[in-house]
Amino acid sequence: LFSFEQQTIISSNSVDFCSKTTQRYYDLQIHIHGCKNVYTALDHYVKTESIEGFKTEKHGVQTVEKATRFASLPPVLCLYLVRQMFDPNLMQSVKLDDKCCFPIELNLKSYMVDGFEGCTQFQLHSVLVHSGDETIGHYVAYVCVEGDGKWYKFDDSNVTECSQQDAVIGNYGRDLATPRQDIPGLMGQLMRRFRMAPSAYLLIYIRKDSLQSVLTPVSTEDIPQRVLEQHAMRSLSTKAMKFRVAQVGSAALHDNPVFESVVLGSESLVCNLLQKLVSRQITKKKADESTNGGEINTSANHVNRSGQYSDEAAAHEIVFGSMSSEGTD
């Protein structure tokens, strides 16, 4: 799905020598420093370079030319925009927020080996963005989910529809008259820290002849069984939590804003809330039993002297075991 072949061609103009080496890659990383757009960065990537003192088997030491071309293209292309470089003024690696434009439709025809006849046109599907510097920041993803031109912004747990301009043009990077690396010392550090321009660092392109197969609707059969089981357990845990709260009848807990976040949160948080809830119930029962002169029956394996459950497994056992019972434990 992601693999492609890259061919390195080493040839000589003075003697009959040509060497071709093909390697498989799963992502393409291009340096964007000083490049106004992705095509300029690709030109630098495949640029022919001269190598002196190259030793050949039959012709001895020669001056040769090294070129890079693509021998095949993947259905899904992961294109990394390298935004890190070493700053000699700070003696450390810094993030580049240089403006680098990238197209909705990408054509790699001019970068292929001679005679290639496959599809070379790609359509932009996702844009992964970072705002901040090399030490702090925030990540956001923009996705054209169905390839129909409708873009969505994935910001942590928030998913909202957005315009193509926000997803693409808004993430080219900052167009500055003074390059970051030319600002030395403390002033440069301060400017880096507070310049939070969003800039794309990973582009996902889908080859046009593979759009239908890659973006086909996902059925239950396509989802790994372990993921389905995890989803089912989380759903069951949430239902058990709501059932338990309703069973105890704690109106105050319903009014607590923490309740909703915990119910939708991680399993450990749910267990912590269950422990507090059951502990409150035990305390109430102890008071009732003391008033009535009776005794409360608790499990030594799960309840300590303070009335707290000793582990999360016990809390799960109490909750799931009580779902079939009536009234309170």
Side-chain angles (χ1 to χ4, degrees), residues 272-327:
N272 290 337
L273 184 57
L274 288 176
Q275 290 174 353
K276 294 180 181 179
L277 182 62
V278 179
S279 176
R280 182 186 302 177
Q281 182 185 3
I282 290 176
T283 302
K284 181 178 180 298
K285 281 198 170 188
K286 283 183 177 180
D288 293 342
E289 293 291 344
S290 176
T291 302
N292 297 332
E295 295 182 356
I296 184 170
N297 182 21
T298 59
S299 171
N301 294 329
H302 299 324
V303 183
N304 56 29
R305 294 182 179 180
S306 63
Q308 297 290 334
Y309 279 80
S310 59
D311 53 34
E312 295 181 358
H316 273 287
E317 181 179 335
I318 293 297
V319 173
F320 287 104
S322 67
M323 290 186 68
S324 60
S325 63
E326 295 181 359

Side-chain angles (χ1 to χ4, degrees), residues 18-274:
C18 183
S19 171
K20 297 181 180 180
T21 304
T22 302
Q23 291 180 295
R24 184 173 297 274
Y25 293 88
Y26 293 90
D27 59 69
L28 178 59
Q29 301 183 20
I30 56 176
H31 292 265
I32 57 93
H33 179 54
C35 300
K36 61 180 181 180
N37 55 49
V38 164
Y39 284 115
T40 305
L42 284 169
D43 290 340
H44 283 284
Y45 185 84
V46 302
K47 183 179 180 180
T48 301
E49 58 178 310
S50 179
I51 302 177
E52 297 182 355
F54 185 87
K55 187 176 181 179
T56 65
E57 184 177 350
K58 295 181 179 181
H59 305 283
V61 178
Q62 298 288 331
T63 297
V64 298
E65 291 185 342
K66 177 183 176 182
T68 300
R69 292 292 184 270
F70 302 119
S72 66
L73 294 173
V76 179
L77 174 65
C78 298
L79 184 61
Y80 282 92
L81 308 183
V82 180
R83 290 187 173 275
Q84 291 80 33
M85 69 172 295
F86 182 77
D87 189 335
N89 295 311
L90 297 176
M91 295 301 293
Q92 67 181 36
S93 177
V94 297
K95 180 199 170 186
L96 297 173
D97 51 13
D98 299 26
K99 181 178 180 179
C100 181
C101 304
F102 48 91
I104 298 294
E105 296 185 355
L106 179 69
N107 194 336
L108 300 180
K109 183 177 181 180
S110 59
Y111 307 104
M112 306 304 298
V113 295
D114 295 337
F116 184 82
E117 297 181 354
C119 179
T120 60
Q121 295 182 329
F122 288 80
Q123 180 173 310
L124 184 64
H125 178 264
S126 308
V127 181
L128 277 67
V129 177
H130 177 261
S131 300
D133 62 10
E134 65 280 358
T135 60
I136 190 173
H138 183 63
Y139 292 91
V140 174
Y142 294 86
V143 183
C144 184
V145 178
E146 297 182 355
D148 55 358
K150 293 183 179 179
W151 287 84
Y152 296 87
K153 179 181 180 181
F154 292 76
D155 186 353
D156 292 336
S157 60
N158 299 319
V159 181
T160 56
E161 189 173 354
C162 65
S163 66
Q164 180 174 289
Q165 179 171 347
D166 290 338
V168 181
I169 300 177
N171 297 306
Y172 284 164
R174 189 184 294 274
D175 189 7
L176 297 175
T178 304
R180 286 183 48 163
Q181 64 273 14
D182 291 343
I183 306 175
L186 180 60
M187 180 60 68
Q189 290 181 325
L190 293 175
M191 292 187 68
R192 289 181 179 87
R193 178 57 54 87
F194 293 104
R195 285 159 54 182
M196 306 290 283
S199 54
Y201 71 94
L202 174 58
L203 309 175
I204 305 297
Y205 283 94
I206 300 179
R207 204 174 63 208
K208 283 196 170 184
D209 64 348
S210 301
L211 279 170
Q212 186 174 358
S213 60
V214 172
L215 300 180
T216 185
V218 178
S219 63
T220 305
E221 290 74 16
D222 298 322
I223 303 175
Q225 185 62 30
R226 61 179 179 80
V227 176
L228 293 175
E229 292 174 355
Q230 290 174 359
H231 176 74
M233 285 300 296
R234 178 175 291 275
S235 178
L236 181 60
S237 180
T238 301
K239 290 180 181 178
M241 184 66 209
K242 292 182 178 179
F243 180 89
R244 188 60 174 168
V245 172
Q247 190 182 44
V248 174
S250 177
L253 193 58
H254 278 288
D255 295 334
N256 192 336
V258 177
F259 171 73
E260 290 297 333
S261 63
V262 169
V263 168
L264 300 177
S266 67
E267 186 176 340
S268 62
L269 290 178
V270 172
C271 290
N272 290 337
L273 184 57
L274 288 176

